[in-house]
Amino acid sequence: MAQKKQTNGAENHAGTTLDQYFAKDPERLAQNLARALEELGRAAASWTEAREKGESSDITAAPLADMIRTFSRVSEYWLGDPGRALEAQTRLFAEFMGIWANAIRRMSEENVGDYAQASTTDKRFQDPEWGRNAFFSFLKQAYLVTARWAADLVDGADNLDDITRHKARFYVEQMSQALSPSNFLLTNPELYRETMASDGENLVRGMRMLAEDIAAGKGDLKLRQSDSSKFRVGENIATTPGRVVARNDLVEVLQYDPATKNVLKRPLLIVPPWINKFYILDLNPKRSFIRWAVEQGHTVFVISWINPDERHARLDWADYIDQGIRFALDTIEVATGEKQVNAMGYCVGGTLLAAGLALMAAEDDNRIASATLLTTQVDFTFAGDLKVFVDEDQIRALDAAMRERGYLDATRMATAFNMLRAGDLIWPYVVNNYLRGQAPLPFDLLYWNSDSTRLAAANHSYYLRNCYLENNLSRGRAILRGKALHLEQIKIPIFNLATREDHIAPAKSVFLGSGFFGGPVEFVLAGSGHIAGVINPPEMKKYQFWTGAKPDGELDDWMAKATENEGSWWPHWHDWIIAQDDKKAKARKPAKSRKSLGDAPGDYVRIRA
């Protein structure tokens, strides 16, 4: 019995031996594997049926072709010269020889670490068996050196322009994340142990979830990141009291109940992105920017965009400005009697707001007295990894796909955003959901992230071409209603917030955009990223923000002279608003005469894709 427990001197973290890697009940394991295959067949059937019925279509040809072209450029450099090719192969061979020599040392010496070390923050390789078991240790190290070698090939290819190099780095990172041994049952010690311990029950549960998620995505994988059954919009999420005070075919306008006797005279209009739903600003009472703003004495109005369908196919940015922003301004004037407001735009909602301000400046519409832009890009020179998905071929393929239905499926854009942080938002959930068979825990932020929206064809096409592809907005070449948009004509005060770790609207890009406006700009850099850096209530006492001089020159130079402030940027913003106009008025309650419109958060936000 003592020999059976012998394992070359290594025990796992649970104190058991290699017998944990053998099936306890082979017959039951075989039955569960058959059941898992059955569930996998259901998943495949859902995928096929959606395409046969025309409910889903694949538009991966253009991105795949672009990836192949990009890698061909990298290969062209290294294979075009025999000396360079030999150099590259020799470097990889030397790395593998280093792993082999290190393994020999470990057989005779104690306390010898791995040749290739994973980052201490890399959650994929936390299990002790990745270091103690020779098989899994080799897999991990071989993966790490190969992934780093591939990244070095991209960085060392001198024939690449900046755009191609950016794409190559992104594609290499995606492939490296996908091919990690932690993502596969037979090469992940944790997964393998759990499969043997449960005789494959985890795979049955996982394949069942996979089939459910493909069915929920109507032929595409709708990756579940949170237990959606625990959340109800309007009940335990998006609960700040208010009413729907206006509605058209594109938006509902929400007005929130006051929390103070007196309020700032100028109302606050929030223009959220239509790519996600507005309640990121009202997740729960403790983290709700909307509730906090109301408590500071703002009369808050919010645009809630409809989840578009084929009826909205031809609505472009001019329609979103007219039926969204201008419709909301008309509604505010009727509700409060005020002709001037403070406006706030978040992400692409801020980009639309900037375009709207330029159009309104050209038409002498001065109802917006100040504008706050949260993680907003108006110049897309340094727009980050999303530019990988934007070139003429890929946009043409998207246009063709959108013409069939009039919109882009919600899953497409959600997948693109998740790919920006695949190591956090894709592969951990693939492993936990479909291989470990564990349903995700409830998390309001990830519930919101998965509550995706479709994208109207004309609107999305205009955005991709005029912003990401041609950068027309900052260059004065974007046309709406026959008028060229000039950001320098926007003379009102601008509060421009970037976040330091933003992967969607990089801080460098937001900072550069500050220079295109014609009026004073207060640039603020917040800690953390695109969501956490914005949704940062003062009570949480997290992160920090930097303030400084006029945003000229380079971001690094501005940062060198900036002042670091602890905590949330919210109070600083509120002080800035008061500095623009501190006049007060009696609190305004939402009118209840149009009872049919209902309470906040309204109906449009509840439409699921």
Side-chain angles (χ1 to χ4, degrees):
M1 191 67 181
Q3 285 185 335
K4 183 179 179 181
K5 294 290 185 181
Q6 197 68 28
T7 67
N8 73 7
E11 291 188 350
N12 76 352
H13 65 289
T16 57
T17 55
L18 284 179
D19 59 1
Q20 67 189 311
Y21 293 114
F22 296 96
K24 295 180 178 179
D25 187 340
E27 184 176 346
R28 184 164 176 263
L29 175 62
Q31 291 173 347
N32 282 332
L33 289 178
R35 292 170 58 200
L37 286 172
E38 203 174 304
E39 297 292 347
L40 183 60
R42 286 180 51 216
S46 295
W47 187 90
T48 303
E49 183 181 5
R51 281 150 182 79
E52 289 176 346
K53 291 182 177 181
E55 295 176 348
S56 180
S57 60
D58 293 311
I59 54 173
T60 57
L64 281 176
D66 183 67
M67 183 173 68
I68 292 170
R69 282 195 303 269
T70 302
F71 284 155
S72 295
R73 292 287 306 279
V74 178
S75 300
E76 179 183 309
Y77 176 80
W78 290 104
L79 298 179
D81 183 312
R84 282 199 294 261
L86 179 61
E87 175 198 344
Q89 294 171 25
T90 301
R91 277 193 284 117
L92 182 59
F93 179 74
E95 294 282 8
F96 275 89
M97 289 299 293
I99 296 173
W100 178 77
N102 187 72
I104 297 297
R105 283 187 60 205
R106 294 183 65 179
M107 292 175 65
S108 58
E109 300 178 32
E110 294 183 359
N111 302 321
V112 177
D114 288 336
Y115 172 81
Q117 298 280 350
S119 168
T120 56
T121 59
D122 193 335
K123 298 178 181 178
R124 297 173 297 177
F125 304 113
Q126 296 296 313
D127 189 274
E129 288 290 275
W130 287 110
R132 292 196 300 220
N133 184 291
F135 173 70
F136 294 116
S137 176
F138 170 77
L139 287 175
K140 178 193 70 174
Q141 294 182 80
Y143 162 74
L144 290 173
V145 300
T146 305
R148 292 166 186 169
W149 174 79
D152 289 342
L153 289 184
V154 174
D155 291 338
D158 294 337
N159 65 328
L160 303 182
D161 58 84
D162 291 342
I163 294 175
T164 303
R165 192 182 306 280
H166 183 187
K167 288 185 175 184
R169 285 172 177 159
F170 181 81
Y171 290 140
V172 164
E173 174 64 18
Q174 295 304 312
M175 291 186 67
S176 296
Q177 290 286 346
L179 295 175
S180 170
S182 60
N183 296 337
F184 302 96
L185 178 64
L186 297 179
T187 57
N188 184 324
E190 290 182 87
L191 292 176
Y192 194 86
R193 286 199 309 265
E194 291 177 20
T195 302
M196 294 299 106
S198 68
D199 292 319
E201 282 285 352
N202 56 314
L203 297 180
V204 178
R205 296 192 303 268
M207 293 303 101
R208 184 179 299 128
M209 279 196 280
L210 177 64
E212 292 169 356
D213 290 352
I214 290 179
K218 298 178 181 178
D220 294 314
L221 178 62
K222 187 176 177 63
L223 184 65
R224 68 177 80 182
Q225 298 170 323
S226 174
D227 182 359
S228 61
S229 66
K230 303 299 183 183
F231 298 104
R232 292 288 184 276
V233 173
E235 296 178 18
N236 60 359
I237 198 167
T239 59
T240 301
R243 290 190 61 80
V244 180
V245 293
R247 177 186 293 137
N248 60 27
D249 290 338
L250 183 63
V251 303
E252 290 178 331
V253 180
L254 313 179
Q255 181 183 356
Y256 288 90
D257 295 343
T260 56
K261 290 184 179 180
N262 294 309
V263 296
L264 289 172
K265 191 171 185 293
R266 286 183 187 169
L268 173 65
L269 170 62
I270 299 177
V271 184
W274 59 84
I275 290 175
N276 296 105
K277 295 184 178 179
F278 81 87
Y279 65 84
I280 185 59
L281 296 166
D282 190 26
L283 279 177
N284 61 57
K286 291 183 179 180
R287 289 197 289 168
S288 172
F289 176 84
I290 291 172
R291 184 182 292 265
W292 181 86
V294 167
E295 291 170 350
Q296 308 314 303
H298 293 271
T299 305
V300 178
F301 292 80
V302 175
I303 291 173
S304 175
W305 305 101
I306 198 169
N307 208 332
D309 54 37
E310 59 276 358
R311 297 170 300 165
H312 307 92
R314 296 182 180 276
L315 299 184
D316 63 10
W317 272 36
D319 298 303
Y320 271 63
I321 290 170
D322 289 345
Q323 298 182 39
I325 295 174
R326 281 175 157 160
F327 177 74
L329 292 172
D330 293 340
T331 299
I332 290 172
E333 186 172 354
V334 171
T336 67
E338 297 296 333
K339 294 186 177 181
Q340 286 210 312
V341 308
N342 299 311
M344 170 181 283
Y346 189 178
C347 190
V348 68
T351 310
L352 180 75
L353 175 59
L357 286 169
L359 181 61
M360 293 167 71
E363 297 175 348
D364 295 323
D365 185 342
N366 61 359
R367 286 179 289 176
I368 295 178
S370 78
T372 299
L373 304 177
L374 307 180
T375 62
T376 292
Q377 297 177 98
V378 295
D379 180 90
F380 289 75
T381 303
F382 304 110
D385 286 341
L386 279 175
K387 290 188 77 172
V388 170
F389 302 103
V390 182
D391 58 38
E392 188 59 47
D393 290 338
Q394 293 188 73
I395 291 181
R396 193 180 300 116
L398 272 176
D399 285 344
M402 290 190 294
R403 275 196 299 270
E404 294 180 10
R405 295 186 179 182
Y407 57 85
L408 182 67
D409 278 339
T411 307
R412 312 288 189 188
M413 201 65 189
T415 300
F417 277 113
N418 286 340
M419 286 177 69
L420 300 183
R421 293 175 54 204
D424 295 322
L425 296 177
I426 296 180
W427 296 111
Y429 294 99
V430 169
V431 170
N432 287 323
N433 296 358
Y434 309 133
L435 297 179
R436 189 166 278 131
Q438 294 180 356
L441 297 173
F443 185 18
D444 55 4
L445 176 59
L446 290 177
Y447 172 81
W448 166 84
N449 189 57
S450 65
D451 190 7
S452 307
T453 55
R454 297 179 287 264
L455 302 175
N459 176 307
H460 195 50
S461 181
Y462 185 93
Y463 176 47
L464 293 180
R465 287 189 177 279
N466 284 277
C467 294
Y468 278 96
L469 185 62
E470 299 172 2
N471 204 12
N472 288 332
L473 180 58
S474 64
R475 296 173 179 175
R477 298 197 307 241
I479 306 295
L480 289 175
R481 298 289 187 238
K483 296 181 175 64
L485 305 183
H486 295 282
L487 297 178
E488 66 273 15
Q489 293 181 357
I490 301 173
K491 306 294 185 181
I492 62 173
I494 302 286
F495 185 99
N496 200 18
L497 179 85
T499 55
R500 195 172 191 180
E501 300 167 18
D502 202 329
H503 58 285
I504 294 174
K508 182 177 181 179
S509 182
V510 176
F511 181 85
L512 177 62
S514 301
F516 290 92
F517 298 107
V521 176
E522 171 80 1
F523 178 78
V524 174
L525 181 67
S528 196
H530 193 75
I531 302 298
V534 173
I535 311 304
N536 183 28
E539 292 77 12
M540 295 179 69
K541 298 180 180 179
K542 293 180 68 176
Y543 311 125
Q544 70 280 90
F545 65 95
W546 289 264
T547 55
K550 183 179 178 182
D552 290 331
E554 298 293 331
L555 175 60
D556 290 342
D557 296 333
W558 183 90
M559 277 291 294
K561 299 178 182 179
T563 300
E564 182 175 345
N565 308 272
E566 292 184 0
S568 173
W569 58 271
W570 293 8
H572 178 74
W573 167 82
H574 179 63
D575 291 342
W576 180 85
I577 287 288
I578 292 176
Q580 310 310 310
D581 190 335
D582 61 356
K583 296 184 183 68
K584 296 288 186 70
K586 289 185 178 181
R588 308 113 162 177
K589 295 182 179 180
K592 295 187 177 181
S593 58
R594 301 179 66 182
K595 295 181 180 180
S596 62
L597 296 184
D599 293 328
D603 296 335
Y604 285 1
V605 73
R606 292 184 167 94
I607 301 173
R608 295 185 66 88

